[in-house]
């Protein structure tokens, strides 16, 4: 089975009645969602709502208590083996003191494509160089990863996904701790990747930026509370269900929509 076969005719993400528990704590319960290919989908919810658990379920890193997860019609482990999916974690999941360069981090995206020798070939070096250029980190590629700013670190891990040539990118809070310039650059890059055929699931607390970035949005609180176009999801009524109270700051003249 190839990535092309995975991609053909199937939703990028298909989750049915997913339940994930940690001992006595239920992180996700009866989660069902479908995300079509070549879409940017925003994932919204409070801390502890299950967003990171959902990402790990899509990667096959946690074992569901019940339900099914499919990536382009395949089991998560098979999609991961075929380099069809890439995960950009939150910054706290990364040891920034580890002695690897920015280029080394991006090259990790090519490991699944290396031969038995595990030595990068010309095509791998070219893919890494192109990915670094696309995120604007060519001049910083030899720095230790921990020396970068928050926004630069995020871009380095996005570059890893680009170098991997994954068709699905899972981005866990890519805008957390970045400046406005880096946020704008990442937003533009994500749209370029979508237009090139990639699918992106991105969790974010920046509700105001979702309509500009995302084609659709999912509101999560252990289960899916709403899923659809951003303007249909980000209503005061829906946000009250997820956050416990209606959020202030909805633009005037938008009937409570953010």
């Amino acid at each position: 089975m190839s990535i092309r076969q995975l991609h053909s005719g199937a939703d990028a993400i298909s989750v049915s009645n997913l339940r994930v528990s940690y001992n006595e704590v239920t992180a996700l319960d009866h989660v069902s969602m479908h995300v079509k290919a070549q879409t940017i989908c925003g994932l919204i919810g409070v801390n502890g709502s299950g967003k990171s658990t959902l990402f790990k379920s899509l990667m096959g890193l946690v074992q569901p208590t019940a339900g099914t997860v499919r990536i382009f019609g395949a089991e998560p482990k098979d999609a991961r083996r075929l380099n069809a999916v890439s995960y950009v974690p939150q910054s706290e999941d990364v040891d920034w003191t580890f002695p690897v360069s920015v280029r080394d981090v991006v090259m990790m995206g090519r490991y699944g494509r290396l031969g038995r020798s595990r030595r990068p070939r010309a095509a791998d070096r070219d893919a890494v160089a192109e990915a670094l250029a696309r995120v604007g980190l060519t001049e910083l590629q030899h720095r230790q990863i921990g020396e970068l700013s928050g926004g630069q670190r995020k871009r380095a891990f996005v570059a890893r996904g680009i170098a991997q040539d994954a068709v699905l990118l899972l981005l866990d809070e890519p805008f957390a701790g970045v400046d406005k310039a880096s946020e704008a650059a990442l937003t533009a890059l994500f749209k370029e990747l979508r237009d090139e055929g990639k699918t992106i699931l991105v969790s974010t607390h920046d509700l105001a930026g979702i309509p500009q970035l995302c084609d659709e949005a999912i509101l999560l609180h252990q289960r899916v509370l709403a899923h659809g176009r951003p303007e249909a999801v980000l209503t005061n009524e829906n946000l009250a269900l997820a956050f416990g109270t209606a959020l202030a700051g909805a633009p005037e003249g938008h009937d409570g929509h953010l």
Side-chain angles (χ1 to χ4, degrees):
M1 185 186 299
S2 69
I3 292 176
R4 185 178 298 276
Q5 288 172 318
L6 277 178
H7 196 288
S8 178
D11 287 332
I13 298 171
S14 181
V15 177
S16 298
N17 296 316
L18 177 66
R19 190 172 191 269
V20 179
S21 298
Y22 301 108
N23 297 321
E24 301 300 320
V25 178
T26 298
L28 297 172
D29 193 20
H30 291 94
V31 170
S32 293
M33 53 182 275
H34 300 273
V35 178
K36 293 185 179 300
Q38 201 167 348
T39 299
I40 301 178
C41 181
L43 185 63
I44 311 156
V46 297
N47 292 334
S49 63
K51 300 189 301 295
S52 293
T53 297
L54 178 58
F55 280 125
K56 291 174 182 177
S57 298
L58 295 173
M59 288 292 294
L61 301 178
V62 297
Q63 183 65 38
T65 308
T68 60
V69 177
R70 295 292 183 270
I71 304 299
F72 295 106
E75 295 273 1
K77 63 179 181 180
D78 293 326
R80 196 169 72 242
R81 177 176 55 82
L82 293 169
N83 297 296
V85 56
S86 176
Y87 177 43
V88 178
Q90 294 187 42
S91 59
E92 56 262 33
D93 293 335
V94 178
D95 180 3
W96 299 113
T97 65
F98 197 74
V100 293
S101 68
V102 176
R103 186 177 183 278
D104 291 335
V105 168
V106 179
M107 183 61 76
M108 290 175 186
R110 300 297 299 177
Y111 283 179
R113 301 180 182 280
L114 300 181
R116 292 183 178 179
S117 68
R118 293 298 180 187
R119 293 181 179 177
R121 296 159 295 186
D124 301 308
R125 292 189 289 271
D126 290 345
V128 169
E130 180 181 353
L132 286 164
R134 293 196 68 173
V135 301
L137 291 179
T138 300
E139 295 183 359
L140 302 178
Q141 63 180 301
H142 298 299
R143 287 195 183 181
Q144 191 269 338
I145 186 67
E147 296 177 359
L148 301 187
S149 69
Q152 290 167 341
R153 292 174 182 180
K154 298 288 187 177
R155 283 188 274 154
F157 279 88
V158 171
R160 183 184 66 179
I162 295 173
Q164 181 180 328
D165 197 26
V167 289
L168 173 62
L169 298 176
L170 306 176
L171 310 177
D172 197 353
E173 299 290 351
F175 301 123
V178 308
D179 56 34
K180 290 297 182 182
S182 292
E183 182 176 340
L186 286 172
T187 296
L189 177 59
F190 296 159
K191 289 182 176 181
E192 289 178 7
L193 293 171
R194 175 202 57 197
D195 293 343
E196 293 168 10
K198 311 295 186 184
T199 305
I200 299 173
L201 180 65
V202 50
S203 69
T204 176
H205 289 292
D206 181 16
L207 301 184
I210 287 175
Q212 178 183 358
L213 170 65
C214 300
D215 304 303
E216 58 186 61
I218 294 173
L219 194 59
L220 186 72
H221 191 81
Q222 278 75 57
R223 59 187 179 88
V224 174
L225 301 178
H227 183 187
R229 298 287 300 174
E231 61 270 19
V233 171
L234 298 179
T235 65
N236 281 345
E237 180 180 3
N238 285 338
L239 294 173
L241 290 174
F243 294 91
T245 182
L247 297 185
E252 295 182 2
H254 284 263
D255 299 324
H257 295 68
L258 288 180

